């Protein structure tokens, strides 16, 4: 029996489904609980390749969820990953804007998460408030369903994925997205934390606004060269 079948069977026989979190044409995401240990996990059954999730199996980072098991078969992938407890950044922002210090801390932690991903050639491509969970003092970047591996031979992304307002222009087929697409989204996110608005409507004041501007340049060449340069600026 391969990993796909064994993981699928284990989840059905050893876990209880607490709730269906998301269901779409791309698959299902559920919150499950192991019957013996009581530990909760995220279980995903999605259509598509498992390459990104398999790369994350070996990663341990406090700003990324731990990927426990991955199986792939006939174009479908099953994933068991850590359930990160806490409020999403989107939920927190419903209660009001953040201070410069708070926004800066969250951004630096997301930079740390993205540095790990980018070091493996992974582009997240969907950095947004609902994909950031605040666990205690840590910001955790979740949901790699839109993520992809950067491939030198490609001129553009094979699939157009991302969230309107956060997705960089190149994610709409203008060129292949790389780590600078995540820098663009992080700039939008920083601005929203400080102003509640997209930078095209209202730009954050002072130095933070200048950081946002550079992050969100239409031409990727004019953004920060990599995520470490952005982290330094912050």
């Amino acid at each position: 029996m391969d990993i796909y079948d064994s993981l699928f069977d284990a989840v059905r026989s050893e876990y209880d489904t607490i709730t269906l979190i998301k269901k779409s044409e791309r698959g299902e995401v559920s919150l499950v609980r192991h019957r013996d240990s009581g530990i909760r996990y995220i279980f995903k059954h999605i259509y598509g390749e498992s390459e990104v999730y398999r790369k994350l199996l070996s990663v341990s980072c406090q700003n990324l969820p731990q990927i426990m098991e991955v199986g792939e078969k006939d174009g479908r992938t099953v994933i068991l990953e850590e359930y990160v407890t806490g409020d999403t950044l989107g939920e927190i922002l419903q209660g009001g804007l953040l201070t410069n210090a708070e926004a800066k801390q969250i951004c630096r932690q997301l930079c740390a998460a993205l540095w790990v991903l980018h070091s493996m050639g992974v582009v997240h491509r969907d950095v947004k408030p609902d994909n950031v969970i605040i666990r205690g003092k840590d910001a955790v970047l979740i949901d790699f369903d839109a993520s992809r591996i950067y491939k030198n031979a490609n001129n553009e992304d094979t699939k157009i994925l991302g969230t309107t307002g956060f997705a960089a222009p190149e994610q709409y087929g203008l060129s292949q997205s790389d780590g600078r697409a995540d820098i663009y989204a992080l700039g939008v996110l920083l601005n929203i934390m400080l102003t509640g608005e997209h930078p095209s409507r209202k730009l954050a004041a002072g130095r933070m606004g200048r950081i946002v501007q550079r992050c969100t340049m239409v031409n990727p060449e004019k953004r920060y060269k990599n995520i470490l340069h952005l982290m330094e600026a912050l």
Side-chain angles (χ1 to χ4, degrees):
M1 186 182 290
D2 57 28
I3 295 175
Y4 178 95
D5 289 327
S6 61
L7 179 54
F8 206 95
D9 288 347
V11 169
R12 281 190 295 191
S13 61
E14 300 171 23
Y15 294 76
D16 292 318
T17 300
I18 299 173
T19 185
L20 177 65
I21 295 173
K22 183 169 63 176
K23 183 174 183 177
S24 69
E25 59 185 19
R26 300 192 64 222
E28 296 183 359
V29 180
S30 301
L31 176 62
V32 299
R33 180 173 50 226
H34 191 268
R35 286 181 194 141
D36 291 340
S37 68
I39 297 174
R40 292 178 292 175
Y41 297 92
I42 295 295
F43 178 65
K44 296 182 178 182
H45 183 207
I46 59 176
Y47 292 94
E49 295 180 358
S50 63
E51 189 177 7
V52 169
Y53 283 98
R54 279 189 280 112
K55 276 183 172 284
L56 290 170
L57 275 169
S58 60
V59 169
S60 180
C61 171
Q62 64 188 24
N63 304 115
L64 292 169
Q66 184 72 50
I67 305 301
M68 306 300 184
E69 290 189 71
V70 178
E72 183 180 345
K73 184 178 182 179
D74 300 329
R76 294 174 297 171
T77 297
V78 285
I79 304 121
L80 190 69
E81 71 176 66
E82 174 190 11
Y83 172 57
V84 181
T85 58
D87 293 327
T88 68
L89 183 55
E91 289 166 339
I92 289 169
L93 288 172
Q94 288 176 11
L97 302 177
L98 303 186
T99 65
N100 273 17
E102 290 168 336
K104 193 186 296 186
Q105 180 182 1
I106 289 171
C107 266
R108 284 181 61 85
Q109 291 178 340
L110 294 177
C111 283
L114 289 168
W115 173 245
V116 172
L117 296 179
H118 294 174
S119 297
M120 298 187 297
V122 175
V123 189
H124 188 278
R125 296 207 304 164
D126 203 16
V127 178
K128 61 182 180 181
D130 288 345
N131 283 343
V132 178
I133 295 178
I134 306 302
R135 175 176 57 190
K137 294 182 178 179
D138 293 328
V140 183
L141 182 62
I142 64 167
D143 196 347
F144 310 102
D145 293 353
S147 303
R148 64 184 299 277
I149 308 291
Y150 180 82
K151 294 180 170 62
N152 289 325
N154 289 8
N155 292 321
E156 60 186 42
D157 291 356
T158 51
K159 289 182 181 177
I160 297 173
L161 291 171
T163 300
T164 303
F166 291 90
E170 59 268 26
Q171 287 179 240
Y172 294 100
L174 299 179
S175 62
Q176 185 186 186
S177 56
D178 56 24
R180 294 170 298 183
D182 290 336
I183 289 174
Y184 181 98
L186 201 48
V188 175
L189 184 66
L190 175 59
N191 201 79
I192 286 175
M193 285 192 281
L194 295 171
T195 71
E197 298 279 356
H198 191 277
S200 62
R201 291 189 288 273
K202 181 180 180 181
L203 185 66
R207 186 164 177 276
M208 298 298 261
R210 292 192 292 275
I211 291 174
V212 169
Q213 273 188 313
R214 184 164 178 190
C215 286
T216 56
M217 298 294 286
V218 172
N219 183 349
E221 298 290 337
K222 294 184 178 180
R223 297 175 205 153
Y224 291 99
K225 184 178 179 181
N226 59 47
I227 206 74
L228 287 186
H229 285 210
L230 171 55
M231 192 185 278
E232 261 180 42
L234 288 163

